[in-house]
Amino acid sequence: MPTVRVRMGERGRLMRRVGDNSVASSSVEQLMRRALEATQATYPHPNPRVGAVLSTPDGVVLATAAHQSRGLPHAEVLVLGDVEDPEGTTLFVTLEPCNHHGETPPCTDAIINAGVARVIVGATDPDERVSGSGIERLVGAGIDVSVGVLSDDVIANDPGYFHHRITGRPRLTLKLASTLDGQVAAADGTSKWITSPEARADAHRLRATNDAVIVGAGTVIADDPALDVRLTDFTGRQPTPVVIAGERAIPADRRIMSRDPIIYRPNGALRVDPAAVLTDLGERGIVSAMIEGGPMIASAFLAAGLVDEIVWYTASKLAGGRGISAFGGVFETMADITDLDVVDVARVGPDIRITATIIGDR
């Protein structure tokens, strides 16, 4: 996305003179990347990951900060508070500053009151409460504003947030693990362990990047998963367990029941509506979610056009026969096929991880 420069008013003309000594264009992306790096240890959903860097007009970094959690100060306020006199400085911020009263005051007020001379924004905020109004407010105050620096990187840094604010639903990842010939379990239902310890640890890291993990009642009954992140160095928030239960009763002794799961059952219908599930999760502030099982759940959400990304762990094992395949139902005709864009292939221990996005409108 090209950078858009906007100026307005008498102060905007003054800012052109400040701009004579402004950050060199070669350093703008470097400092925006530094703002992005500040977010790497943060997970503030349902709020966005936002990082900020405050520099002198010629690019000397004065402070760096990132938004940590809902209800806490935003990155812009934090970084301004770390500098004794921010007047005339340049602010790099990954996402458009907010311009509304939520759980915290508008960041635009803090920026204007601090006397910041220039604001460089990574991406416009898709939240309808902001969506351009923050930029307009800064421009109206005479601040020199640049928009669209590394915007693709900003979106990739928090894809769930952007998807949620645009669609109202969490961004949905379908995680699968199978033998080389596509079997997710043996005919008797056993599946421990198809993939290697390295692949299973990698899948736990994937869980840690999602707000919720979705399974069907069959998976809960057969495998008794906890659906938590079990990594020795993990101290973050655990994902919310979600069960598509249908009419099946879930035994009270299943481990997931101690984690206060969200359970969906049919409401006067034959089965749970996948779209209704994601809409409800979105309204609960779930920004990203991952399906982990089983085949019928995977098929239902894929057929409904709700899956945005697939992460498939292919084990270095061969079933050599028909067990349980990754998807339920029947592959009737080529017209039913789903086209994918494979965006990454990586070796994980002895196994292979394939990451792909769905081609077409989601």
Side-chain angles (χ1 to χ4, degrees), residues 135-160:
I135 293 167
E136 291 176 1
R137 177 81 192 286
L138 297 177
V139 171
I143 294 176
D144 183 350
V145 180
S146 301
V147 184
V149 177
L150 297 182
S151 60
D152 288 345
D153 296 73
V154 172
I155 295 170
N157 187 50
D158 198 3

Side-chain angles (χ1 to χ4, degrees), residues 207 210-211 227-230 234 236-241 259:
R207 275 186 188 175
N210 283 276
D211 299 341
L227 300 185
D228 56 350
V229 178
R230 296 187 298 280
F234 181 73
R237 181 181 61 179
Q238 290 286 350
T240 299
R259 298 196 56 226

